Amino acid sequence: MLPVSLQTSFPKGMLMTQRVRITINGKLFESDVEPRLLLTDFIRGVAGLTGTHVGCETSICGACTILANGLAVKSCTMFAVQADGSDLVTIEGMAKDGQLHPLQQSFWEEHGLQCGYCTTGMIMCAHQLLARNATPTEAEIRDGLTGNLCRCTGYQNIVKAVQSASGKMRQTQNVAAGD
Amino acid sequence: MKYVGQAIKRKEDPRLVSGSSSFVDDLALPGMLHTAVARSIHAHARIKRIDISQAWKLAGVTAVVTGEEIAGKCGPIPVAGEIHGMKKPVMHLLAVGKVIYVGQPVAAVVASDKYIARDAADLIEIEYEPLPAVTNPEKAIEPGSPVIHEQFSDNIAYTFGFETGNTEEAFKNADVVVKERFVNQRLAPVSMETRGAVATVQAPDRELVIWSSTQIPHLLKTQLAVMVGVPEHRTRVITPEVGGGFGSKLNVYAEEGLVAYLALKTGKPVKWIEGRRENLACTIHGRDQINDVELALKKDGTILGMRAKVVADIGGYYQLLTAIIPQLTGLLAPGAYRVPTFKFDLVGAFTNKMATDAYRGAGRPEATYLIERIVDCAAQKLKMDPAEIRRKNFPQPSEFPFATSGGVVYDSANYEKALDKALQLADYAGLRKKQAEMRAQGKYMGIGLSSYVEICAMGPSVAMPAGGWESGSVRIEPTGKVTVLTGASPHGQGQETSFSQIVADEFGIGIDDVFVQHGDTARIPYGIGTFGSRATAVGGTAIYMAVQDLKAKLAGIAAHILQSSPDKIVFEDGKLIAGDADKSMTFGAAVTQAYIARNLPPGMEPGLDRTRFFEPSNFTFPFGTHVCVVEIDEETGEPKITKYVAVDDCGNVINPLLAEGQIHGGIVQGVAQALYEEVVYDENGQLLTGSLMDYALPRAHDLPMLELDRTVTPSPVNPMGVKGVGEAGTIGSTPAVVNAIVDALSPLGVTHIDMPVRPEKIWKILKGRKAS
């Protein structure tokens, strides 16, 4: 569950801010923010991580998808104060040791992106999809991605990319498990 | 050939999949201010009073501007597309005196952060006197309609028409005439990245630098320089990563002028990022035509003539190319057929809505929809197979170049080959058999064809409002690395990769030794931009030509040193090989010679840097056949696409991965026009589809896997034989889907159904059937 702490203790008339502590990709960011500051603006503006994009401001397009405490959420309709104490992962946290995450690698190989604007959110959503179901069918992938819009690819190569990543990630897990 | 024709994965992608690329909203300049725009809430109203005092009082606000200030200091919104005799209303960056559509910019504020800017914009009090609005284009041009631009007598923006041959005669001699009204509904382009711009005045030369999410950096630079009165050689436009355009960023918008003006006024960097609601209301829309079409035929299905009357909804004013988009519909209306006589009548209508302009396909999807639908109407009436009526009217490959009654000359094609391939791939005979079986069980299944042709590689300058050429520069650096500068401005199409493939192959070097740059007017020679499926066929050709010049020079150097002759030098595997002398030198060694310049052939200049401007002699005309299969859910009326086959011919292909990607995306956008999307204004001109909660974009689960194939008919218009592929999918797919739905419902006597074909429209038809 996401911690929700909206209590404020500022006298009337003063600019109301609240201290938040948010961990993003393993690094703690601490800042005094207005309660109305959107989480996307915290990630992009305060933490300077601009790989998370804003596409619609209404939770429809999913360009702003991140992981909050392991769950994919649309950060454009969350306030930063709602994420106080949370542990977030953004697209910038996906590659490890200079190696692209299998999802990033697969989007590249399968031409699962064109303009690239939706891609970062799409990858974060696909990450949750595969975490919940390591071997999804085509229909399950398509259903799992309905909360993320892409205007360029017609989704076909995105579906292929997720299929490919699913194979890669299973392989890695098998190797790790000594199979 | 090492790279061209191969599915090379994109050079662009590592930065995009890792989130390290920089879109315009990712820019953060020291001291940057933010602007927000106060917009009209009325479709048509006089502005009685604007009170900015409350906005000014807000801490953090540094400027508030209104139309009165701007009109005296900035030029109007530029209009490049003109039709002879058209009415030309002047549109200022901010409204002066009255507003003519919902969302029109009225005032702008500049503040220290975007939240404060938004608060301040909301504190601007604008008092309006509402006027009657008109949103229906046919009503708008009737006498007695409220007149939007009061300096004119009516809302007829322009009329345009032509007749090829004698259509009256053709219709008199016809055995059959079919007639239908087709509506190409208004659509919103909805690039996933909205528009946005940042402007700053840079020391020490007071250069005005504008970063904009645009498809046309150079044209934008010229227009902004003129608009805000800064000399063009001290104006620079940079396009950072651009998150899609689809034609909507092929424009010069009020807000781009505003940020430039506000940066000059405040002396600080100023950023404006469009919200999605603004994007749906205030970025150009597409389509919005009413097409009344008649087709005259002989009993055997031979087409004798066509008449098309088009009412095009301009919106309240013209953006850059608004007026000429519907003209393209006339050029392409005869489609892939011999239509010996054709009469085209077009009226542009001003309405109290956002301007229409180029949206993926721009005028050609409308044309393809009207011809592909009316041909199906004719087949239905003549009880002919839709494939056969098409086949009967195709011009044969030997007839190309083929002059059409639309007034253009098609470059090359084999329409029948693409049709046959698509029918085979789809198992058309098997589908018809299955359809008969399903019909016998009372089920609704339909098969739709679309044999489209389209106009690409825009285009010859004589046919374009602002130059149809493109620039390409190639510079070989002393270390042998190659820098390519293109005037095209890719925004997702992948030309950093495909252009590298072309250059690497020609020089016989590795693809990683080539770096393609675009979208910075200070670095790149003047260019036109990316739109109209032109980047590879026109921009790629300019680069190809520059490469040929440099190859000739390098061959001269190599021949001089190897004691061979330039025409014997072959570029291969990083070497320049003199076949006759059985000698070679590395590419790098030859390049070094060009810069050291101590042993050059007599009279040769040093250096390896060449810019070419390619002026195409004609458009190119890609084509293909799409087959769509739908099954209809009898309970809900939902049409489900169960199979989609597309055989496209875009000439030679540089990178099949990218070409297929363009077709996938294009098809889904075209399907979306057929099934989902529609910009809706109510009769008062209020936008009802103002967010993505109301405007239905296609989603991942809406489609099956598309089955693609190709035929290859090279274009004779450019040396690489390429045609262009950016819009083909969108143009071909829409009528295939509607034809399939009408085919499914034809046992009920249905001959047409308007787009978007949402389940409720079909459900009503099915319900009517049950009731009777």
Side-chain angles (χ1 to χ4, degrees), chain A residues 41 55 108 114 146 151 156, chain B residues 10 115 276 677 699 706:
Chain A
D41 287 322
W108 186 13
Q114 289 178 29
T146 52
R151 193 59 155 165
Q156 183 143 328
Chain B
R10 300 200 314 174
Y115 289 72
R276 181 57 69 189
E677 294 181 28
R699 291 170 181 275
L706 310 168

Side-chain angles (χ1 to χ4, degrees), chain B residues 81-137:
Chain B
E82 292 205 8
I83 287 179
H84 180 71
M86 76 182 198
K87 296 187 177 94
K88 293 186 206 171
V90 171
M91 198 71 171
H92 293 289
L93 305 187
L94 295 171
V96 178
K98 74 184 246 187
V99 289
I100 56 168
Y101 67 97
V102 165
Q104 184 176 348
V106 176
V109 298
V110 181
S112 53
D113 89 29
K114 66 177 182 180
Y115 289 72
I116 297 172
R118 190 66 259 161
D119 286 344
D122 291 344
L123 286 171
I124 295 173
E125 285 177 30
I126 307 164
E127 192 185 320
Y128 296 100
E129 176 195 338
L131 299 167
V134 58
T135 55
N136 177 321

Side-chain angles (χ1 to χ4, degrees), chain A residues 34 36-38 41 44 50-51 53-58 60-61 91-92 100 104-105 107-111 113-120 123 138 141-143 145-157 159-160 163, chain B residues 9-10 13-14 16-19 23 25-26 114-116 119 188-190 192-194 241-244 246 274-277 359-360 491-492 657-658 661-662 664-665 668-669 677 692-693 695 697-701 703-706:
Chain A
E34 280 188 70
R36 66 174 178 172
L37 186 80
L38 293 172
D41 287 322
R44 293 172 50 78
T50 56
H53 302 144
V54 180
C56 72
E57 308 128 21
T58 49
I60 301 293
C61 84
I91 190 70
E92 289 90 344
L100 292 177
Q104 293 171 309
Q105 189 70 31
F107 269 70
W108 186 13
E109 286 164 2
E110 299 295 334
H111 190 31
L113 63 147
Q114 289 178 29
C115 82
Y117 196 78
C118 77
T119 309
T120 51
I123 287 174
E138 183 199 327
I141 294 171
R142 287 182 181 275
D143 282 340
L145 296 177
T146 52
N148 290 64
L149 297 176
C150 169
R151 193 59 155 165
C152 295
T153 64
Y155 303 103
Q156 183 143 328
N157 289 348
V159 173
K160 284 192 199 163
Q163 285 170 332
Chain B
K9 62 184 191 199
R10 300 200 314 174
D13 290 2
L16 290 166
V17 297
S18 61
F23 293 87
D25 194 23
D26 302 341
K114 66 177 182 180
Y115 289 72
I116 297 172
D119 286 344
V190 195
M192 291 318 300
E193 182 208 27
T194 57
E241 206 81 64
V242 173
F246 312 107
E274 184 183 54
R276 181 57 69 189
R277 285 187 306 155
Y359 166 54
R360 201 170 193 175
H491 43 283
L657 197 63
L658 307 190
Q662 288 296 313
H664 287 157
V668 173
Q669 263 176 318
E677 294 181 28
L692 291 186
M693 292 187 281
Y695 188 83
L697 292 185
R699 291 170 181 275
H701 67 171
L703 285 144
M705 284 291 183
L706 310 168

